[in-house]
Amino acid sequence: MIRAAARRREAEERDWLLRGTPPPPWVRWPPPLLLVVIVLVQLMTPKSLDLTFLVAAVPPLAALSYGPAATALLGGVVVALLSLPDFGLGHAGSSDELTITFIALLSVVFAWVRSRREAQLVTVRTVAEAAQFAVLPPLPERVGRVRCAGLYQAAQHESLVGGDFFDVRRGPGVVRALIGDVQGHGLAAVGTVAALLGAFREAVLDQPDLEGVAARLDRRLVVDSEGDEHAELFATAVLLEFPDDSCVVRVVSCGHPPPLLLRGPEVTELAVVSNPPLGLGIAGLAPPEQLTVPLLAGDRLLGLTDGVSEARDASGAFYPLAERLTEMVKADPAVLDDPAGLTERVWADVVRHAGTVRDDVTMMVFAPGPCENERGEDLSRP
């Protein structure tokens, strides 16, 4: 989440003029620099050289990056230079002086309007980011014995939360993780995401197994869609459980892409049964099938949404995730010791493959530590 916000800020600085966001610092340099260059050129060239058209550009440029006071100051300097008889800036006539004075005054008005709009925009985005971080808070680097790292990229670049959701929580004697994708994406899906995450955080503490957690999430969506005959509220999800007393991972998939097991350069898709999606009312009646996989020291698990595996290049070819992961690990085996770095490398490779990714993208890497059987310690205590 933090890295996603950083990428979003970089995009805002790059496309500030189109997005209406505050300009980057470098935009403040052109107005005074242009004014200095004009003065130096005028002093070193014949007085017949007409630079009036360049001087007129200084106030509008200042309005793009400065406040009304600084814009008025630069505009006043321009008008003063035009009125100095000994300076002779292009021998501007009275009509030129009046035109540029009007441009300067209009630039001050534009700077005032822009400053107020930017202040309002910053306030709105600050509140929106606080609300979205409340829904999907940044992941801790470690939960229980499991190191974890996540990367999230919303399809709507103006938002931090879309249709994907994830969480990692400590339960009694276990660490449980959730990765999912609700129907649709963007801000319209945030309410469903918030409901599912709230249900998951409660179920982690209350339910004795992953089947019970899945049933709780399923019921949440069923209840939320009651009363609306046209509602088609559903979500896919994969649940993972790392018990403290056993070196295994338990996995339940509800219509979601299965996690990948990284054992050195070998990448294996876990053969978990794809049970029906959440929201159909089935999980509470027929518990989903669970897969238990033994883990070795150094094993890593990668959970993801279909925004990664379904990213296409210009020819329509899907992103070959397993193949690329194998190549990455072979080229740099140390990447397995840096879960956050691994997610960033995969994301960069997805972007190189697809150019533009138009779906929500979520990746989570889990690096389980030694279990009780290996360390002889009681890790069930907080």
Side-chain angles (χ1 to χ4, degrees):
M1 286 291 291
I2 294 176
R3 298 192 183 196
R7 289 192 299 271
R8 177 172 167 270
R9 285 192 293 270
E10 291 174 1
E12 288 177 351
E13 290 185 359
R14 185 175 60 251
D15 305 326
W16 62 274
L17 194 57
L18 297 176
R19 292 172 178 265
T21 53
W26 64 265
V27 180
R28 292 178 173 270
W29 288 102
L33 187 61
L34 178 61
L35 189 58
V36 171
V37 170
I38 292 173
V39 170
L40 292 177
V41 171
Q42 184 63 58
L43 291 175
M44 295 185 296
T45 56
K47 301 297 182 182
S48 59
L49 183 64
D50 188 359
L51 299 178
T52 306
F53 72 99
L54 286 177
V55 175
V58 173
L61 283 176
L64 288 176
S65 55
Y66 288 95
T71 302
L73 177 61
L74 286 171
V77 171
V78 168
V79 173
L81 289 176
L82 288 174
S83 62
L84 290 176
D86 296 333
F87 191 68
L89 184 60
H91 301 285
S94 59
S95 61
D96 292 331
E97 292 182 17
L98 288 174
T99 300
I100 294 177
T101 300
F102 175 75
I103 292 174
L105 291 175
L106 197 60
S107 298
V108 172
V109 174
F110 286 160
W112 179 77
V113 172
R114 182 191 57 78
S115 298
R116 285 182 59 86
R117 183 177 179 276
E118 284 182 1
Q120 293 174 347
L121 186 61
V122 168
T123 300
V124 169
R125 289 190 174 183
T126 300
V127 173
E129 287 186 4
Q132 293 179 86
F133 274 123
V135 175
L136 284 177
L139 286 174
E141 293 184 2
R142 180 183 292 273
V143 180
R145 69 180 183 92
V146 181
R147 286 191 299 137
C148 50
L151 182 145
Y152 183 82
Q153 184 71 34
Q156 293 184 358
H157 296 291
E158 296 298 322
S159 64
L160 297 177
V161 178
D164 289 358
F165 56 95
F166 57 91
D167 203 358
V168 183
R169 292 283 161 165
R170 182 84 166 125
V174 295
V175 173
R176 287 171 173 165
L178 168 70
I179 306 166
D181 184 1
V182 304
Q183 176 197 19
H185 57 78
L187 296 177
V190 174
T192 305
V193 168
L196 284 171
L197 289 176
F200 171 73
R201 290 160 187 168
E202 290 294 327
V204 165
L205 301 175
D206 299 338
Q207 297 299 317
D209 50 39
L210 286 183
E211 292 86 345
V213 176
R216 180 74 65 87
L217 299 179
D218 182 65
R219 187 183 67 180
R220 176 73 273 165
L221 290 183
V222 170
V223 170
D224 287 349
S225 61
E226 284 181 354
D228 186 354
E229 60 180 354
H230 300 294
E232 296 180 356
L233 195 59
F234 66 89
T236 65
V238 63
L239 294 153
L240 299 95
E241 181 178 88
F242 302 90
D244 292 339
D245 58 358
S246 181
C247 299
V248 300
V249 60
R250 303 184 184 113
V251 185
V252 166
S253 173
C254 298
H256 197 79
L260 300 178
L261 174 65
L262 285 70
R263 183 165 289 168
E266 182 182 351
V267 179
T268 305
E269 185 178 274
L270 297 185
V272 58
V273 175
S274 183
N275 300 284
L278 302 171
L280 304 181
I282 298 175
L285 302 175
E289 294 187 42
Q290 175 181 279
L291 174 69
T292 300
V293 180
L295 295 177
L296 303 179
D299 284 354
R300 302 291 182 261
L301 288 153
L302 173 65
L304 67 156
T305 56
D306 56 13
V308 179
S309 56
E310 295 182 1
R312 298 171 181 258
D313 62 10
S315 66
F318 289 112
Y319 176 69
L321 176 59
E323 177 184 330
R324 295 293 180 92
L325 277 173
T326 299
E327 294 174 359
M328 290 178 195
V329 177
K330 285 182 177 179
D332 182 13
V335 72
L336 292 177
D337 296 325
D338 182 14
L342 179 58
T343 61
E344 290 289 344
R345 288 198 189 188
V346 174
W347 168 246
D349 197 47
V350 170
V351 173
R352 282 193 296 269
H353 174 83
T356 301
V357 181
R358 303 186 182 279
D359 196 4
D360 297 326
V361 169
T362 297
M363 287 180 283
M364 293 188 69
V365 174
F366 304 96
C371 58
E372 289 180 15
N373 292 343
E374 293 179 330
R375 298 182 57 181
E377 299 177 9
D378 184 3
L379 300 179
S380 62
R381 299 175 184 175

